């Protein structure tokens, strides 16, 4: 009875140890991940202090490719970029997807706050010029005196 108990305990211990070892081997970076990091470091000239973090693969919108997000981390700064990795693990591509339905100028104008600022001309003008200068600065003052007459001449008093 004791012998059967010890044999069962030994089998179960071996099974648990085997599962732990399998879990540890799954955490080692794959050859593809090593190749991706090596190529990205070389192509973008990343210094050793920049950590490259490779996220899990996701379904891509392109056949025979998986989407993968790469993060470049240095200190508190973290930049993320989307890449495509071929299913065979031999090709890595970076594409830039642009939404043609959005006006990029409208997105920029949302970031410019003109409330409480002196303005001149129509609120719905086709051209908006935003100028930040300091008239006590000799360079800013000279730029203003050089550019402003030309702007008035080109766009008239409507500006």
């Amino acid at each position: 009875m004791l012998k059967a108990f010890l044999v069962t305990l030994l089998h179960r211990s071996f099974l648990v140890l085997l599962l732990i070892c399998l879990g540890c081997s799954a955490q080692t970076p794959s050859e593809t991940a090593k190749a991706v990091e090596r190529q990205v470091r070389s192509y973008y000239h990343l210094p050793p202090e920049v950590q490259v973090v490779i996220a899990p693969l996701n379904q891509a919108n392109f056949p025979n490719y998986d989407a993968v997000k790469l993060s470049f981390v240095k200190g508190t700064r973290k930049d993320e970029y989307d890449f495509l990795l071929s299913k065979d693990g031999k090709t890595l591509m970076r594409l830039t997807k642009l939404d043609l339905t959005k006006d990029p100028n409208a997105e920029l104008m949302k970031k410019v706050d003109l409330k409480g600022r002196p303005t001149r001309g129509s609120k719905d003008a086709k051209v908006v010029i935003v100028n930040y200068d300091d008239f006590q600065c000799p360079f800013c003052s000279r730029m203003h005196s050089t550019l402003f007459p030309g702007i008035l001449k080109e766009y008239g008093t409507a500006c």
Side-chain angles (χ1 to χ4, degrees), residues 67-134:
V68 62
K69 187 176 291 287
L70 290 163
S71 301
F72 303 135
V73 182
K74 182 180 179 186
T76 58
R77 182 176 175 180
K78 180 179 181 181
D79 295 320
E80 295 182 339
Y81 299 97
D82 294 320
F83 286 82
L84 294 174
L85 179 64
S86 63
K87 297 277 186 185
D88 63 2
K90 293 182 179 180
T91 305
L92 183 71
M93 295 190 307
R94 179 160 183 252
L95 300 176
T96 303
K97 182 179 178 182
L98 301 175
D99 186 356
L100 299 178
T101 62
K102 291 183 179 179
D103 181 8
N105 295 325
E107 294 295 319
L108 285 174
M109 288 306 294
K110 287 180 187 176
K111 295 178 183 178
V112 178
D113 182 19
L114 299 177
K115 293 179 185 152
R117 303 280 183 184
T119 60
R120 185 180 196 134
S122 173
K123 299 276 185 204
D124 58 344
K126 291 182 181 180
V127 176
V128 176
I129 298 173
V130 179
N131 185 29
Y132 296 97
D133 54 15
D134 178 3

Side-chain angles (χ1 to χ4, degrees), residues 126-145:
K126 291 182 181 180
V127 176
V128 176
I129 298 173
V130 179
N131 185 29
Y132 296 97
D133 54 15
D134 178 3
F135 292 132
Q136 293 179 357
C137 168
F139 299 104
C140 294
S141 179
R142 178 142 182 191
M143 181 188 72
H144 179 77
S145 64

